[in-house]
Amino acid sequence: MGSQQTEQRAQVLPAASGSTTTVRLHRSNILAFFRAFDSFLVIGTLWMSLFLVGVSWNNSYTWLGVVAITAFVYFTESNEVYHLWRGFSTPALANRLLLAWLGTSIVLLIVALILGLIVNVNLTAILSWLVITPVVIIFCHWLRRKFLALFRRQSSQRRIAIVGATPLGQRLTTAIQNLPWMGYQIQGYYDDRQPSGDPLRRLDDNEMRVEGTLANLQTAARNGEVDMIFITLPMAAERRVRKLVHELADTTVSAYIIPDVFGFDLLHSRLTAFQGIPAVSIYDSPLADQGLNKRLFDIICTLGILALAAIPMLIVAIGVKLDSPGPILFKQARYGVGGEKIKVWKFRSMKVCEDDGQVIQATRNDPRITRFGAMLRRTSLDELPQLFNVLEGSMSLVGPRPHAVSHNEFYRAQIQGYMLRHKVKPGITGLAQISGFRGETETMDKMVGRIAYDLDYIRNWSLALDIKILFLTAFRGFVGQSAY
């Protein structure tokens, strides 16, 4: 009995009684330092700008400094600048830092006007500060990455093995190669499976060179030839993954499991955790964390547009009234964010005001359209009253265009993922509209194309994308051959 016990390996209990196993988020002390260092740079560049111009520090500059640090910390955090897991490329990081400083500059301007600080500061020094600061911050981050890449390449590279000759493993390789400052060196791929012609299971040998089997990997791990192992096998290989992880307990390598969630048609996926329990969303809204930023952007831009469009809107209202009998404005039921029904305002462009279960889409030479209304629809001027929908919060300047309720109910049964476009507020203009899918969608293919652009907008949303769409709308979105 005793000899039998010595031959069997003892099993370690999963956790002591009363303890809880959780997954902790990996954090970077270097990025934590730079979070504080960037705040120091904001104040330092302000002091330097005043010194170069020969201006003494006063309380107005103290206020501006405090507001700048507070706003910059907020915008960098909302842009996930200091989140290690994002792994931005250097140009992408520079872009996010610039956007954060642009938001900071706008906040500074508003605060300075409200508090009357402008009369007490030197504008030359302030303008120099606003220009110098992002350049200095971006340069410091670039220098940090260059130094880390050089240091780790010469002294502390971590050797990585990837389990699974899969598209996910290939994608991981590309990501690691784009992050040289992380100090990772890929030793190779390991997989027991033979190529089957199915790229979702195992890539062919000409696409990915496999170093050996999982048994070879375990030998390399025991011999200290590998520091980290990333498992990228498909989710269906759970039993094989469990067996491998169990056997890796006989080594000192750090093992990571990368779930192949990319096999799903992800909308806007986010990684989150609940008291250490990790979760990855499949169909999520990009505005779950950024809704306030987009809302502030909508309000500021809408007020500016209304200031410019007030007189043209008055002229349009007079034209609608003189052209045909009926109301100047009318509202139609649409689906808003979350599929909630909203009322959308428009200038009347037809002789009828349809808002029932049988709304018929406008077509070429539609007899319902008035003469003046035809011009409004071609130029999208009939949509201008939706600026008030934006102000009240039921719509956004940019987003998927709202369809009639009856059209929604029809297409949701015909097009997979159609209702996912309602994960964000509908917009006055959108990515589909500047990409050629404006106006009538008389075929299913055209509607499928429009929905594809709507979902791409949600997947890739950013304030920069909204600004780009608004800019291109001026050239592509107001007129179109399919707008009747």
Side-chain angles (χ1 to χ4, degrees), residues 381-415:
L381 291 176
D382 62 322
E383 313 286 358
L384 283 178
Q386 289 167 29
L387 291 170
F388 297 108
N389 284 106
V390 176
L391 285 182
E392 74 175 9
S394 60
M395 289 184 64
S396 176
L397 284 175
V398 182
R401 285 292 300 149
H403 299 156
V405 171
S406 60
H407 298 163
N408 262 21
E409 294 304 318
F410 173 76
Y411 286 114
R412 70 186 301 177
Q414 306 296 322
I415 302 174

Side-chain angles (χ1 to χ4, degrees), residues 214-480:
L214 299 188
N216 298 137
L217 173 62
Q218 293 165 33
T219 301
R222 289 193 187 97
N223 294 337
E225 300 171 9
V226 176
D227 300 311
M228 305 171 69
I229 293 176
F230 289 89
I231 302 173
T232 64
L233 292 172
M235 297 174 71
E238 179 187 359
R239 184 175 301 176
R240 190 183 305 122
V241 171
R242 283 182 175 274
K243 182 176 183 294
L244 174 62
V245 170
H246 177 76
E247 292 169 344
L248 288 177
D250 191 34
T251 72
T252 59
V253 299
S254 298
Y256 294 80
I257 297 177
I258 302 182
D260 191 10
V261 297
F262 301 100
F264 300 101
D265 186 14
L266 301 179
L267 185 63
H268 191 95
S269 184
R270 291 191 305 148
L271 177 65
T272 187
F274 304 93
Q275 291 191 337
I277 303 174
V280 179
S281 62
I282 305 300
Y283 301 135
D284 205 346
S285 168
L287 304 181
D289 297 322
Q290 299 287 331
L292 178 60
N293 290 342
K294 184 171 174 66
R295 181 65 181 143
L296 290 175
F297 175 80
D298 279 341
I299 292 174
I300 293 172
C301 290
T302 300
L303 291 175
I305 294 172
L306 279 173
L308 297 174
I311 295 179
M313 289 177 70
L314 178 61
I315 295 173
V316 170
I318 295 173
V320 171
K321 193 64 177 177
L322 295 177
D323 183 56
S324 62
I328 295 174
L329 299 174
F330 81 103
K331 54 187 178 181
Q332 281 187 321
R334 297 286 191 268
Y335 281 161
V337 63
E340 297 288 335
K341 283 189 179 181
I342 62 173
K343 291 293 185 178
V344 174
W345 290 95
K346 300 180 71 172
F347 280 122
R348 182 176 57 83
S349 59
M350 291 186 174
K351 300 171 185 177
V352 296
C353 297
E354 295 178 336
D355 190 22
D356 54 29
Q358 298 295 328
V359 178
I360 302 173
Q361 196 174 42
T363 59
R364 186 185 297 273
N365 300 320
D366 196 314
R368 299 171 299 166
I369 300 176
T370 66
R371 290 173 299 176
F372 190 67
M375 183 276 294
L376 294 181
R377 298 175 72 90
R378 282 195 303 271
T379 57
S380 294
L381 291 176
D382 62 322
E383 313 286 358
L384 283 178
Q386 289 167 29
L387 291 170
F388 297 108
N389 284 106
V390 176
L391 285 182
E392 74 175 9
S394 60
M395 289 184 64
S396 176
L397 284 175
V398 182
R401 285 292 300 149
H403 299 156
V405 171
S406 60
H407 298 163
N408 262 21
E409 294 304 318
F410 173 76
Y411 286 114
R412 70 186 301 177
Q414 306 296 322
I415 302 174
Q416 175 69 27
Y418 177 90
M419 289 301 292
L420 292 176
R421 66 199 301 272
H422 297 292
K423 298 294 289 186
V424 298
K425 291 179 182 179
I428 296 178
T429 185
L431 183 60
Q433 282 62 51
I434 65 168
S435 303
F437 289 89
R438 176 180 176 270
E440 184 186 9
T441 50
E442 69 277 13
T443 65
M444 185 62 69
D445 286 344
K446 286 187 176 182
M447 182 58 78
V448 169
R450 175 183 287 186
I451 302 308
Y453 276 107
D454 288 341
L455 298 185
D456 275 347
Y457 168 77
I458 297 175
R459 289 188 185 98
N460 303 298
W461 177 86
S462 68
L463 285 179
L465 179 58
D466 276 5
I467 294 171
K468 176 183 177 181
I469 291 173
L470 285 175
F471 176 77
L472 292 178
T473 295
F475 302 97
R476 305 178 188 173
F478 282 132
V479 295

